[in-house]
Amino acid sequence: MYQWVLKHSSGKVRTMAIQKNDELIIEIQDIGSDGEGIGKQDGYTLFVKNTVVGDKAKVKVMKAKKSYGYARLVDLITASPYRVEPKCPLAEKCGGCSLQHLDYAKQLDYKQNKVKNCLERIGGFKGIEMEAIIGMKEPYYYRNKAQFPVGKDKEGKVIIGFYAGGTHSIIDTSHCYIQAEVNEQIMIKIRAFLEDYNISIYDEAENKGLVRHVITRVGFTTGEVMVCIVVNGKDLPHKEELIQSLCEIPHMTSISINVNKEKTNVILGQKVITLWGQPYITDFIGDIRYQISPLSFYQVNPIQTKVLYETALDFADLHGEEIVWDLYCGIGTISLFLAQKAKQVYGVEIVAQAIEDARKNADMNHITNAEFFVGAAEEILPQKYKEDAIRADVIVVDPPRKGCEESLLDTIIQMSPDRVVYVSCDPATLARDLRYLCDRGYEISKVQAVDQFAHTTHVECV
């Protein structure tokens, strides 16, 4: 329990306390980084899931800390004008769509402000002019990749779906409003297969059982479909029957198993065994065709990925004579975009399979001015600069959420390219890294946020 002494203008003093299980009425004034509503009670901050700015709500305190706490929504007294009815009946429980109850235009405002606030608060940048965020025309059924955990309920029935927010409890469903629609057919068939043949299901706590996850990928341009079953073993019994069933789905292209026998939260193991068809599917971003294997990193929203990469290409301002280094290049998605307008592109990626895919993708698109290196960007670039005196007119980075290592940023500064294009999925680490670069001679020229993940709190930025 926490107490505050409040002095009234009359001079009277009263003590107020907020503690667990208190029920309060608050107005939601802001949205937090995880999409939760933020309200205040006499200066005490409460985070409330499934509320939006403008809601007046009755809430119950679930956890009370010194200056803030967490509460759950008990009753909506007055609904915000920005509140909408989620399309998905499971939206409140599922961990996938934390903003589906918020009007989409307001979601875009929230993401634009999230980037701006990080630049100001973490980066210390003042007066940064941002381009208007680029949203989706149709913010549903946009994901080309899905990861479905498989489990059993208390009655021993097979369940397939998505994790509830912040847990490993599976919400059983075959339909998702942001995934490719073909996934519903796939999950119905896999559920029937697991039940009909009594296939054992993986138990996280015991590290026993066979089937752990189902991974799907869909080529939005080609229509090609991939299904990969993650198993705690070397094989899948009755696989011929599963193949026959899945091949009834139009455009089925690749069926495989992924071997993951580790007691871990990491979904995929390193070994993939093709059961039927090709070991990959293909898809296009713009005019560039890509091969995508189960282990490939490939942006999950192909429509907005095209927008994102076109923005990166525009910011790179290439005229055909530039040397470009693309760091954290994955399967060469941005590299091959850049190669269309650059003299030479060099890509660096730590995952060997991804580099193998990048080289195949370059060959498949008859691109001869792209070369790829396997290794950590923070090791390869400094080494190449020190030993080979490499140069760059433009450097593009698209790091994971943790951002860039200082050693890499230091090498970029030493190489002194004319332009650095930073593609980021985390505005906090983006702001940190930009501050580092700008303290050493660079300045921010353009900022463009792109909504890659409608109905979630995530945002991409160039």
Side-chain angles (χ1 to χ4, degrees):
M1 182 174 73
Y2 299 95
Q3 295 185 332
W4 292 264
V5 177
L6 304 176
K7 190 172 183 179
H8 193 265
S9 57
S10 65
K12 292 182 179 180
V13 174
R14 65 190 180 95
T15 301
M16 184 174 180
I18 290 180
Q19 57 186 317
K20 184 178 179 179
N21 296 325
D22 278 355
E23 290 193 351
L24 311 167
I25 294 175
I26 61 173
E27 290 191 9
I28 304 301
Q29 302 165 355
D30 203 351
I31 305 176
S33 58
D34 294 324
E36 70 280 37
I38 302 175
K40 292 183 182 292
Q41 175 79 0
D42 294 310
Y44 186 83
T45 301
L46 284 167
F47 297 90
V48 189
K49 193 179 174 185
N50 298 318
T51 59
V52 302
V53 173
D55 279 346
K56 185 176 182 180
K58 183 179 181 180
V59 303
K60 184 175 182 178
V61 179
M62 306 305 293
K63 184 186 292 186
K65 293 184 176 289
K66 187 173 182 180
S67 59
Y68 66 94
Y70 299 91
R72 67 173 177 83
L73 178 64
V74 175
D75 188 29
L76 194 61
I77 296 170
T78 305
S80 164
Y82 307 119
R83 176 177 282 276
V84 296
E85 186 67 27
K87 277 194 174 186
C88 179
L90 300 173
E92 287 190 8
K93 297 178 181 178
C94 180
C97 290
S98 54
L99 294 180
Q100 207 177 109
H101 57 291
L102 180 63
D103 176 74
Y104 185 58
K106 198 67 178 175
Q107 290 184 33
L108 296 179
D109 288 344
Y110 160 73
K111 294 181 183 190
Q112 178 89 344
N113 288 331
K114 183 175 183 177
V115 174
K116 187 175 183 180
N117 289 341
C118 284
L119 291 174
E120 291 178 350
R121 181 172 51 83
I122 299 171
F125 299 103
K126 304 300 180 186
I128 293 291
E129 291 294 326
M130 291 182 60
E131 306 291 328
I133 187 171
I134 303 173
M136 297 195 70
K137 292 179 181 177
E138 179 53 52
Y140 294 96
Y141 303 113
Y142 62 82
R143 287 184 63 99
N144 59 18
K145 179 186 177 184
Q147 300 176 154
F148 295 87
V150 182
K152 285 191 173 183
D153 63 16
K154 293 178 181 178
E155 287 73 43
K157 181 184 174 184
V158 173
I159 54 174
I160 306 175
F162 300 101
Y163 291 128
T167 77
H168 268 213
S169 299
I170 300 172
I171 296 174
D172 191 31
T173 182
S174 294
H175 189 83
C176 175
Y177 285 84
I178 63 170
Q179 306 286 354
E181 292 182 87
V182 70
N183 285 337
E184 185 165 12
Q185 298 176 59
I186 295 170
M187 291 311 116
I188 289 171
K189 287 182 175 293
I190 289 179
R191 188 190 304 267
F193 165 76
L194 296 175
E195 291 174 345
D196 291 347
Y197 294 96
N198 196 27
I199 306 296
S200 70
I201 306 302
Y202 184 71
D203 183 305
E204 270 191 331
E206 299 292 330
N207 194 31
K208 294 180 180 178
L210 185 63
V211 175
R212 303 173 67 134
H213 277 79
V214 179
I215 312 295
T216 67
R217 289 182 183 265
V218 180
F220 274 36
T221 303
T222 62
E224 296 176 2
V225 179
M226 170 187 288
V227 176
C228 180
I229 316 291
V230 183
V231 294
N232 177 37
K234 296 180 179 179
D235 203 358
L236 183 67
H238 301 283
K239 58 192 175 190
E240 293 80 9
E241 288 82 355
L242 176 62
I243 291 167
Q244 184 178 354
S245 177
L246 289 174
C247 284
E248 294 172 357
I249 296 172
H251 308 296
M252 185 59 62
T253 304
S254 174
I255 303 172
S256 63
I257 59 172
N258 173 268
V259 178
N260 183 358
K261 296 192 282 186
E262 303 297 321
K263 186 174 173 58
T264 175
N265 287 335
V266 177
I267 292 173
L268 287 165
Q270 291 303 306
K271 185 177 182 181
V272 177
I273 302 169
T274 303
L275 301 182
W276 178 88
Q278 299 175 171
Y280 57 84
I281 60 171
T282 60
D283 201 13
F284 285 83
I285 300 176
D287 296 326
I288 305 295
R289 187 182 181 193
Y290 300 93
Q291 279 189 10
I292 309 152
S293 66
L295 298 177
S296 296
F297 172 78
Y298 188 72
Q299 292 276 5
V300 299
N301 183 337
I303 296 168
Q304 291 297 87
T305 295
K306 182 173 182 287
V307 172
L308 187 74
Y309 290 176
E310 285 175 344
T311 301
L313 184 59
D314 175 54
F315 283 15
D317 192 22
L318 303 176
H319 301 280
E321 296 302 318
E322 293 86 359
I323 303 296
V324 182
W325 279 80
D326 177 21
L327 310 177
Y328 312 95
C329 71
I331 63 170
T333 43
I334 295 181
S335 302
L336 301 186
F337 249 63
L338 297 166
Q340 297 173 96
K341 291 193 175 182
K343 180 179 180 180
Q344 180 69 40
V345 176
Y346 299 100
V348 181
E349 170 60 50
I350 196 169
V351 179
Q353 178 62 53
I355 289 296
E356 186 178 329
D357 289 341
R359 289 168 179 155
K360 288 177 181 176
N361 289 330
D363 289 342
M364 186 167 57
N365 289 279
H366 309 294
I367 292 174
T368 58
N369 61 332
E371 186 177 349
F372 298 95
F373 301 95
V374 178
E378 57 270 19
E379 295 175 4
I380 294 292
L381 194 71
Q383 177 190 339
K384 291 285 182 184
Y385 178 65
K386 183 179 179 180
E387 296 178 2
D388 301 334
I390 60 166
R391 55 174 289 271
D393 300 295
V394 177
I395 290 180
V396 178
V397 297
D398 185 7
R401 297 188 67 80
K402 68 176 184 177
C404 297
E405 299 285 345
E406 273 192 17
S407 59
L408 178 65
L409 297 175
D410 285 335
T411 303
I412 290 173
I413 292 159
Q414 292 172 50
M415 290 177 67
S416 191
D418 295 332
R419 290 173 295 288
V420 178
V421 181
Y422 196 131
V423 182
S424 171
C425 61
D426 188 323
T429 54
L430 168 71
R432 178 202 68 200
D433 291 351
L434 293 183
R435 180 73 275 161
Y436 195 89
L437 290 170
C438 289
D439 283 345
R440 291 157 179 81
Y442 281 93
E443 61 181 25
I444 296 176
S445 177
K446 294 180 182 179
V447 181
Q448 176 70 71
V450 178
D451 186 25
Q452 289 275 98
F453 313 103
H455 309 298
T456 79
T457 59
H458 301 297
V459 59
E460 291 272 340
C461 189
V462 186

